Amino acid sequence: MMKQNIIFGIDVSSKSSTVCVVIDRIKQGETFKITNDSFGYQDLLDRLNQYLITPLVVFEATGVYSLSLQAFLEDYHIKYLKLNPLKAKKLMDNNLRHNKTDKVDAYRLALIQFNAPQKLRAPQPKEYHELQNASRYYEELAQALIINKNQLHRNLQSAFPQIESILSTSSGRVYWTIVSLFPHAQYVLNHNENQVFQSLLAISGIGKQRAHYLTTRLYALARQAYPYDNESSITIRAIQRNIANLLSLSAERDNVINYMEKLAMQANARSLNIYESIPGIAKTTAVRLVAELGDLRRFDTSAQIDAFVGIDPGRYQSGEKDSHLEITKHGNHLARKILYRTITQMETVKATQPCHITDYYDKKKRSSNSRGYKKIAIASVHKLIRTMFALIKHDQLYDYNVATHNQRL
């Protein structure tokens, strides 16, 4: 017998929402609309307060549009069920939904809790939402860095392509500062060696010996160059703009990760420590995993985390049986991306930091006849999720010896 038998089904749109009240599966009156603002939510609160038993609100997570509704419900301590849109669609389709209208959807959403009751979960602390906001901002900065790096590379091809080999890596603050000083080969040749040397010596991180070496190297590269654009070309301004952007974006990305680390320590310092104990997971990855996955203790099984991330397969791989791991690719795409990348990071440190997950990955690679290893990587992500969930659940740091003897991981 359900304790809660008054349901407000809410179909959320960008500017307004459609509300349907259902009591014991029976629709009460006509559906009504509210605006997604303080006035609309006051109207909703008045209607909720008409009942002696506080109704349950059911709605779909429609990205940014449902956030203000969620904030209102949490501020007034109103219980709610926020459904993943794919899960909501599946549950409504099981109830033979044929028509797609706001009125029908609001009603069908309300019926879900009668026909297929879902477990209610306490809202996560707001630090997790802020963490996810910061993680998304971090991703935007990372993508902007890639764009500007590519633009810088293209622009240098017609001004001074040889300078890209001045350091072992054509990235980072020191490299960008050198290029901003000498964006064109002629910028080097127009100055004497002492002037170039003093310019390089003024860069933080470059000592006298290195400045002498780089001066000689710059002159050799400048003499080798045969640029298409001259030193007064607009391309030079484009190069310097790229570099200004790169320095600014890089500094902001560092600020964001520091901010995220402080938030993660406030929200769940223990999870941060546990993630960092897993080989291949450094501070930045650990912080972003806390941000994108939230508190894993809110899940009942690791399979639920698979679905949340979007790597739940139609067919599974277990033991000696290799099935086709066709993942749904629905769910948190950034969490999926970070976890997938983590497997690569684990492979790079396995010589000094052994892990049962890389053991599994390597074993499957050796026995695979396929040229691609993406399916094996996805299976490894499944293992990583199971491991993370077990460690969080039992409040334990990673131990290779324990993990290798625990076949469930």
Side-chain angles (χ1 to χ4, degrees), residues 60-285:
E60 288 182 61
T62 54
V64 294
Y65 299 132
S66 61
L67 287 178
S68 63
L69 172 62
Q70 183 177 332
F72 156 74
L73 296 172
E74 290 177 7
D75 287 344
Y76 285 88
H77 307 289
I78 298 165
K79 289 184 179 181
Y80 66 84
L81 174 65
K82 182 174 71 171
L83 292 167
N84 175 289
L86 292 166
K87 185 171 186 178
K89 182 180 184 302
K90 182 179 179 182
L91 290 168
M92 287 191 287
D93 285 346
N94 286 343
N95 292 328
L96 302 178
R97 178 183 68 165
H98 297 294
N99 301 318
K100 171 66 179 93
T101 68
D102 292 342
K103 291 182 180 180
V104 171
D105 272 0
Y107 175 55
R108 297 293 185 189
L109 280 167
L111 282 182
I112 285 174
Q113 197 61 0
F114 290 106
N115 299 329
Q118 304 296 303
K119 183 177 179 179
L120 301 185
R121 302 182 187 277
Q124 291 194 95
K126 287 198 173 180
E127 286 89 349
Y128 283 105
H129 178 69
E130 180 67 1
L131 265 170
Q132 192 175 74
N133 283 344
S135 178
R136 302 302 164 89
Y137 180 38
Y138 180 93
E139 187 69 16
E140 287 176 15
L141 293 169
Q143 293 302 316
L145 275 164
I146 292 171
I147 291 169
N148 275 274
K149 284 178 183 178
N150 291 337
Q151 288 175 344
L152 176 61
H153 169 72
R154 287 195 300 270
N155 289 327
L156 281 172
Q157 300 316 296
S158 60
F160 194 2
Q162 287 75 14
I163 201 172
E164 290 185 312
S165 64
I166 188 70
L167 298 177
S168 58
T169 175
S170 57
S171 187
R173 180 187 56 81
V174 172
Y175 168 74
W176 295 328
T177 306
I178 293 173
V179 176
S180 70
L181 293 171
F182 306 103
H184 192 281
Q186 202 60 42
Y187 274 51
V188 179
L189 301 176
N190 285 345
H191 295 83
N192 62 46
E193 287 196 17
N194 185 57
Q195 289 174 319
V196 173
F197 169 77
Q198 292 299 329
S199 296
L200 293 171
L201 192 59
I203 299 172
S204 175
I206 295 181
K208 285 187 177 181
Q209 186 176 350
R210 195 180 185 201
H212 278 300
Y213 166 77
L214 290 174
T215 298
T216 303
R217 183 87 177 122
L218 264 175
Y219 271 97
L221 294 172
R223 292 189 185 102
Q224 178 187 349
Y226 201 97
Y228 179 83
D229 292 324
N230 63 42
E231 61 189 293
S232 60
S233 170
I234 193 71
T235 303
I236 306 306
R237 287 177 62 180
I239 289 170
Q240 292 176 327
R241 170 51 59 188
N242 291 147
I243 292 167
N245 289 343
L246 287 166
L247 290 168
S248 173
L249 289 164
S250 183
E252 180 69 348
R253 187 179 61 172
D254 291 342
N255 290 336
V256 171
I257 205 65
N258 290 334
Y259 175 65
M260 289 176 68
E261 185 180 342
K262 290 177 183 176
L263 276 178
M265 291 294 288
Q266 293 172 17
N268 199 332
R270 183 58 176 168
S271 289
L272 202 59
N273 293 333
I274 289 172
Y275 292 157
E276 284 188 87
S277 74
I278 301 172
I281 297 183
K283 179 74 74 179
T284 299
T285 301

Side-chain angles (χ1 to χ4, degrees), residues 274-325:
I274 289 172
Y275 292 157
E276 284 188 87
S277 74
I278 301 172
I281 297 183
K283 179 74 74 179
T284 299
T285 301
V287 167
R288 295 202 69 199
L289 285 171
V290 172
E292 293 299 338
L293 295 176
D295 190 348
L296 293 190
R297 292 171 297 187
R298 76 188 191 277
F299 296 102
D300 298 318
T301 65
S302 62
Q304 291 176 350
I305 306 173
D306 289 344
F308 175 79
V309 171
I311 58 166
D312 44 326
R315 287 170 287 180
Y316 204 70
Q317 194 283 338
S318 179
E320 297 303 316
K321 182 181 178 183
D322 280 314
S323 300
H324 295 290
L325 291 172

Side-chain angles (χ1 to χ4, degrees), residues 359-409:
D359 291 346
Y360 168 85
Y361 181 82
D362 293 340
K363 179 183 176 183
K364 290 299 176 184
K365 274 179 65 176
R366 287 192 298 269
S367 62
S368 174
N369 295 321
S370 173
R371 290 184 179 179
Y373 301 119
K374 190 172 182 180
K375 290 180 180 179
I376 299 171
I378 294 298
S380 299
V381 170
H382 281 288
K383 272 192 172 291
L384 175 58
I385 287 174
R386 286 201 300 274
T387 299
M388 291 165 59
F389 182 65
L391 293 175
I392 295 292
K393 187 176 179 182
H394 298 291
D395 192 25
Q396 295 175 345
L397 297 178
Y398 181 84
D399 186 300
Y400 178 65
N401 293 324
V402 173
T404 51
H405 288 91
N406 190 342
Q407 296 304 313
R408 295 187 67 185
L409 296 179

